[in-house]
Amino acid sequence: MLYIAEPENLGDLLPEEPSYRTDQLKNWLYKHPVLSADEMTNLPTALRDTIGPQLWPFELAQEQVGDGGSTRKWLFLCTDGAQIETVLMGYANRTTLCISSQVGCAMGCTFCATGQFGFDRHLSAGEIVAQVAYANAYLASTPIPRSPARVTNVVFMGMGEPLANYKHTRESIRRMIETMGMSARSITVSTVGFVPGMRKLIEEPWQVNLAVSLHSTIPSERTKLVPINDRYPIDQVVATAKDYFEAKGRRVSLEWTLIAGENDSDEEAVGLAAIARGIHAHVNVIALNPTPLSTDRPPDRDHVRRFIATLTREGANVTLRDTRGQDIDAACGQLRLRAASS
Ligand code: SAH
Ligand code: SF4
């Protein structure tokens, strides 16, 4: 499979071809990706026929279009039957792709559809990077109106905990930067607070953005929502986020999925604002997208406003994230859940 191979080793897959063919192919895979090998116009037809079946490590199983055409959600089917979710979101000045790093997730966060499903396997670097290539190939022929016709931002906020799949996450980031030409600052790794992975990321040469999913400042409550808090407690997570900020000079964002009656109190808002101030972080609040396997619900709109107002009053820098793609099950893991139950 072409995307599975390291870009530097593509030549091994084409032993009979001159080296400039490898460069041409690399260009088609990473710089100007195309949906089908037939579009690789400078390659001989026989070679296109060989490449065709090896082009994608998955096939598109399902596409949903939401938000009046500006959000697309794809369910890809891998050769072993594993399913990957990817969401493309067009905005006025950026086109953001939300990618998966694992099939399922072992972290078991109670409000998350992926967590409810358990862990299946890691994605390879090729499977991660192919999601970006697919989106670019798709956008080249079907751009989202009024949005850049290329992925400008990548967020690891689909299925899985990217830092628990460090080796492949790292390699996929390397390819995005070194081969696709993306800027590290346009890539965001979101973590539940997997401290060893955060530490490794600090050591990397790239200024990628780090988002830390906090969800509660009260240790016992956080453990309830985010069981890995038992192993990597919030204090360690916050201290490591601070180290990240100091090492990279990039503001960390703190993610907070607001759940009625769980983490929406004034006490939580005050605690969160104090943490954000202490590490110069930005807070992203998102109202829970309900999942079929949990009775958790988002707070009503007034309550969300009150939570945001408290954060602001306490000096936090905060954004209420839009719930893009709610009409198409775009929250983490939900499309796969729907596909599995239908
Ligand atoms: N494992 C990583 C990245 C994937 S989850 C992490 O947890 O950060 C990406 C984001 O989606 C996280 O902030 C997570 O808390 C949030 N999320 C998961 N399920 C959600 C739901 N049902 N509603 C709203 N946000 C959700
Ligand atoms: Fe895994 Fe993130 Fe979902 Fe938690 S929120 S179960 S870490 S994908």
Side-chain angles (χ1 to χ4, degrees), residues 157 184-190 198 201 206-212 238 240-255 273 275-284 315-319:
M157 291 190 183
R185 291 161 174 240
S186 67
I187 299 171
T188 300
V189 173
S190 179
M198 293 166 74
L201 201 59
W206 310 304
Q207 278 190 308
V208 297
N209 303 305
L210 183 69
V212 179
V238 171
T240 314
K242 185 166 189 244
D243 290 346
Y244 194 88
F245 170 69
E246 283 167 359
K248 306 281 180 186
R250 301 290 289 164
R251 243 172 223 281
V252 170
S253 38
L254 300 176
E255 306 292 311
I275 290 174
R277 286 193 318 265
I279 65 169
H280 306 282
H282 185 94
V283 177
N284 278 321
N317 193 324
V318 54
T319 306

Side-chain angles (χ1 to χ4, degrees), residues 217 256 263-274 306-311 314 316:
T217 59
W256 194 279
N263 60 2
D264 58 349
S265 65
D266 286 349
E267 182 193 356
E268 287 276 30
V270 171
L272 172 57
R306 182 192 160 105
F307 192 82
I308 301 283
T310 310
L311 281 170
E314 293 290 320

Side-chain angles (χ1 to χ4, degrees), residues 105 107 109 111-113 156-162 190-193 211-213 215 255-257 286-291 321 331-332 334:
C105 183
M107 302 295 139
C109 304
F111 54 87
C112 168
F156 281 82
M157 291 190 183
M159 296 190 321
E161 168 49 46
S190 179
T191 179
V192 70
V212 179
S213 299
H215 309 312
E255 306 292 311
W256 194 279
T257 297
I286 184 165
L288 177 79
N289 206 334
T291 57
R321 258 171 46 189
C332 192
Q334 290 190 13

Side-chain angles (χ1 to χ4, degrees), residues 321-337:
R321 258 171 46 189
D322 62 351
T323 41
R324 267 297 181 104
Q326 246 183 355
D327 50 341
I328 52 168
D329 306 321
C332 192
Q334 290 190 13
L335 184 62
R336 193 177 61 138
L337 213 54

Side-chain angles (χ1 to χ4, degrees), residues 113-166:
T114 307
Q116 291 160 4
F117 224 75
F119 177 70
D120 201 344
R121 70 168 172 86
H122 292 309
L123 290 182
S124 67
E127 288 169 321
I128 299 173
V129 101
Q131 297 169 64
V132 185
Y134 187 94
N136 277 326
Y138 176 94
L139 285 165
S141 57
T142 322
I144 295 176
R146 294 174 295 281
S147 299
R150 194 166 179 84
V151 173
T152 59
N153 296 72
V154 166
V155 296
F156 281 82
M157 291 190 183
M159 296 190 321
E161 168 49 46
L163 296 183
N165 180 16
Y166 194 82

